[in-house]
Amino acid sequence: MTEATFADIKARFGAGQVIPYLGPGVLALAGEACAVPDSPLALVGKLTAKIKVPHKVRNNVTGAAQYIENFKHRSTLTKAMIEAFRSDMQPTALHRFLAAQPKLPLWVNAWYDDLAMKALAGRADWGMAQGVSQTEHFGRWVHYFRADGALVPEDTPSIVAEPAEMPLFAPAPAEAAAWSTLLYQPLGSVAPAANFLVSDSDFVEVLTEIDIQTPLPEPVQKIRSGRNFLFLGCRFAEQLDRLFARQIMKRSSDRHWAVLPDPLTKNEAKFLEEQNITRIDLPLSEFCAALAQPQPEPATA
């Protein structure tokens, strides 16, 4: 990464032009203090530690979750997810840095932890939009929550094409327009209401509609316009990860960055090229430490 690229990222952050998109890999910044799964493989290990699943899905999160849902009930899956992610773990320095940004209109947290919420807890000018499972909340793509964790009641029903069909989109609550920061958790989160998109059937429902953007919150679609995404702790080797990133960043800008220190797979390299994402080949900890450094004061004559 050149100094010019890094300076550009920092300047755009200061102007509120950068949307951080965090994946499970950011949890590794906590080191030994990490108390929740920090990868899909770690999560499936947690889910199957007490519940036996077929060998063919033992290392597949969505497949293992679907088996548990089918044969042990959805409530068993939800309980296992809560046990995996509910902890006293504190936000990392990166989470605290992001929460302190004076201009951060949108923050995407694409994992099930609650560290972003904990980091934002000292503020009152933000809210959340979380993806929800059709299995548990049929007819709804997303729930909105206030900074205190209270569910925002819907002023009007979700708009539908026909009474018996799925909603075309869930209208955003009016109060969301006043939030300085929207925390978007497309996969749900352990807090405040234990909403999780994790099983095969959860994702099938979303993926059938995501190409036309219906599951994405309206404010996300508006805020992303013209802005740049910065991917931290993300990998794009799996199709599901690429699909979500592609659809969330759709119609934004043509310039983005991803911190990816390890060798890329062919699919990852192709994805970065297609989406105009510049790879930053630095350890995540090194990049985040530099990002948190204050901008030098301009020289005076």
Side-chain angles (χ1 to χ4, degrees), residues 36-56:
V36 299
D38 61 358
S39 70
L41 191 60
L43 174 55
V44 75
K46 282 276 190 180
L47 295 180
T48 60
K50 297 179 181 179
I51 305 171
K52 290 185 178 181
V53 301
H55 180 76
K56 65 180 181 180

Side-chain angles (χ1 to χ4, degrees), residues 211-252:
D211 191 53
I212 54 174
Q213 300 284 283
T214 49
L216 270 65
E218 286 185 287
V220 171
Q221 298 185 46
K222 292 177 181 177
I223 295 170
R224 71 187 177 187
S225 179
R227 286 188 164 89
N228 317 100
F229 280 81
L230 174 62
F231 295 91
L232 303 169
C234 301
R235 297 298 305 196
F236 305 108
E238 300 299 326
Q239 185 180 26
L240 193 61
D241 297 320
R242 296 193 299 273
L243 280 168
F244 266 83
R246 181 183 292 112
Q247 296 302 328
I248 290 172
M249 66 192 295
K250 183 181 283 188
R251 304 188 187 102
S252 54

